[in-house]
Amino acid sequence: MASHRKSRSTGTRVAGIRTPALATAALTSVALLSQTANAAPSDDRPSLEEVEKKVDDLYRQAGSATEKYNAAKEKTSKQRKKVDTLLDDVAKRTQKLNDARTELGSFASAQYRTGASVPETATLLLADSPQDYFDQNQLMNRLTGRQKTAVDDYVTQQSETMKKRQEATEGLDTLTDSQNDLKTAKSTVQKKLATARELLSELTAEEKARLAAIEKKKQEEAARKAAELAKQQAAEEAERKRQEEAAQQQGSGSSSGSSESSTPGSSNGTQAQKALAFAQAQIGKPYVWGATGPGSYDCSGLTQAAWKAAGVTLPRTTYDQVNVGTTVSVSQAQPGDLVFFYDDISHVGLYVGDGKMVHAPKPGAYVREESIFYDGESSIYSVVRPA
């Protein structure tokens, strides 16, 4: 007997209950929408590696802007001193010009008192250009010797005063440009650091822990590279000494004179040791961009202060410090040498030995000793031995 029951629509069971196909589709759509909603924020959020790279880039850009700030600050300071000198000179010359004008005025008064028909010196004081007046009226032929001297002095003082005033005006314009450059660099540093701080503040506690683990791994790799360099330098030093001893045994002694200059730690002899000792004494002090001590430093401020303590004057910025001295290979680095980083030469440290340096790393950090490979071998720009 044929069945008159309607066939059941196919469906699925949820928790033991058969659900219609339409309901199943609806549940599936809700689930997909829920997954999409949950995934959207994480898809838009940068990965931890991306955040780390972005922050590192921002710190590096801030370091570069800091050196531009240092250069602008130094230029502004020098220009301000130059302008002050010019303004002082203008004031002195203006006083001399006034004195000369007063003397000419006394001649004019004397002419009126004696009833002279032509008050030449009085007319001179009213002329726009004394020299033009002389050329047109041949006044000089009618003046006494004393009057001529007074007029000559007046003309000279007026010319020199006008010249110095022009120089002062140009100097003030240059000073304004330097001050604008200083403000721009300062603003750039502040914006870069603010962005970096904002990115770091958005990390969760777990992400910060993972970031610290990544940094620790980088430091371990940097330490390994430093140990390799130390081993290489020790081998080269041992070979140098072996060759010296062999030469001495042969009665040569020709290399004994170069022993002091090639021995690690003798870069400029005692001066390098003093510079290094000063830098190491600053360990633990905070990095502050634009600072030159004694309570805080930026990278070039530390190296400048260290070598100043040794009696050697270095320029203020990394861009200039890199050009003062002799460039050597990384394997030839000696204590006291300057190690520069990045293509834009925006960072510098003082070599300690064994692949390590003392440097002021970045905002939020302190002066410390660490591997010169702290940011990878490719980040090293050059090594310079100060002259």
Side-chain angles (χ1 to χ4, degrees):
M1 180 172 167
S3 174
H4 296 287
R5 295 179 181 176
K6 292 182 179 180
S7 59
R8 297 183 180 182
S9 59
T10 58
T12 59
R13 289 181 178 273
V14 177
I17 302 175
R18 185 182 295 275
T19 59
L22 183 59
T24 302
L27 288 172
T28 302
S29 298
V30 171
L32 289 174
L33 287 172
S34 177
Q35 292 175 1
T36 303
N38 292 332
S42 60
D43 290 342
D44 293 339
R45 190 175 183 184
S47 67
L48 188 60
E49 288 73 15
E50 290 173 334
V51 171
E52 181 197 27
K53 184 179 184 304
K54 182 65 175 177
V55 169
D56 285 346
D57 288 344
L58 285 167
Y59 278 142
R60 192 174 304 168
Q61 291 166 17
S64 180
T66 294
E67 291 306 312
K68 292 180 181 178
Y69 170 86
N70 292 337
K73 184 177 180 181
E74 186 176 44
K75 181 179 179 181
T76 298
S77 178
K78 290 180 178 179
Q79 186 62 25
R80 183 177 288 110
K81 291 179 180 178
K82 181 178 180 181
V83 168
D84 288 344
T85 300
L86 286 170
L87 291 176
D88 286 343
D89 195 8
V90 167
K92 292 177 181 178
R93 291 185 182 280
T94 299
Q95 183 58 50
K96 290 182 179 179
L97 180 61
N98 290 336
D99 292 342
R101 184 182 287 113
T102 299
E103 186 174 7
L104 286 177
S106 67
F107 289 137
S109 298
Q111 285 178 319
Y112 280 116
R113 287 196 302 271
T114 58
S117 59
V118 182
E120 294 92 346
T121 52
T123 307
L124 170 63
L125 291 173
L126 297 176
D128 292 333
S129 172
Q131 191 61 55
D132 288 344
Y133 184 88
F134 299 153
D135 294 341
Q136 294 171 10
N137 298 278
Q138 298 181 342
L139 177 61
M140 294 298 288
N141 294 328
R142 301 196 297 274
L143 297 178
T144 65
R146 183 180 174 187
Q147 289 175 325
K148 288 180 180 180
T149 300
V151 170
D152 286 339
D153 185 44
Y154 177 81
V155 173
T156 299
Q157 294 299 334
Q158 185 185 55
S159 176
E160 292 182 355
T161 300
M162 291 177 64
K163 180 180 178 181
K164 287 299 179 181
R165 283 176 178 171
Q166 180 61 33
E167 289 180 12
T169 299
E170 294 173 354
L172 285 169
D173 290 340
T174 302
L175 177 60
T176 299
D177 291 340
S178 297
Q179 290 173 330
N180 289 335
D181 291 342
L182 186 63
K183 291 179 181 178
T184 299
K186 181 178 181 179
S187 176
T188 300
V189 174
Q190 292 174 329
K191 288 179 180 179
K192 298 296 182 183
L193 295 181
T195 303
R197 285 193 296 267
E198 183 179 356
L199 285 172
L200 291 173
S201 68
E202 293 174 352
L203 296 179
T204 65
E206 180 183 356
E207 288 173 328
K208 290 179 180 178
R210 287 169 54 198
L211 192 62
I214 293 174
E215 180 63 24
K216 182 179 180 181
K217 187 175 181 180
K218 287 174 60 177
Q219 290 178 354
E220 290 173 348
E221 175 60 19
R224 184 187 66 80
K225 293 289 295 181
E228 288 181 357
L229 177 60
K231 185 177 180 180
Q232 177 186 353
Q233 290 178 327
E236 291 178 355
E237 175 64 10
E239 176 61 20
R240 182 190 63 79
K241 288 183 177 180
R242 187 194 65 79
Q243 292 179 357
E244 283 186 358
E245 291 173 355
Q248 290 174 356
Q249 289 177 357
Q250 294 175 0
S252 171
S254 59
S255 62
S256 59
S258 62
S259 175
E260 182 180 354
S261 62
S262 58
T263 299
S266 64
S267 171
N268 280 348
T270 306
Q271 289 179 318
Q273 297 174 9
K274 288 182 178 179
L276 183 55
F278 178 92
Q280 290 175 318
Q282 311 313 306
I283 291 177
K285 293 183 178 180
Y287 173 102
V288 175
W289 64 273
T292 57
S296 58
Y297 299 88
D298 63 16
C299 65
S300 57
L302 176 63
T303 52
Q304 182 189 49
W307 273 97
K308 182 179 180 180
V312 176
T313 300
L314 293 182
R316 175 64 182 93
T317 67
T318 53
Y319 315 128
D320 293 325
Q321 289 182 8
V322 74
N323 296 317
V324 181
T326 304
T327 300
V328 299
S329 66
V330 174
S331 65
Q332 294 177 323
Q334 296 178 3
D337 290 350
L338 303 176
V339 186
F340 295 90
F341 296 87
Y342 313 121
D343 292 338
D344 60 356
I345 323 175
S346 58
H347 189 64
V348 63
L350 200 71
Y351 192 67
V352 175
D354 294 336
K356 299 177 182 179
M357 67 177 174
V358 174
H359 70 146
K362 59 185 179 182
Y366 297 83
V367 176
R368 65 193 184 202
E369 181 177 306
E370 65 181 329
S371 168
I372 63 173
F373 303 103
Y374 82 107
D375 202 22
E377 186 172 2
S378 62
S379 67
I380 299 176
Y381 179 84
S382 67
V383 178
V384 173
R385 188 159 301 147

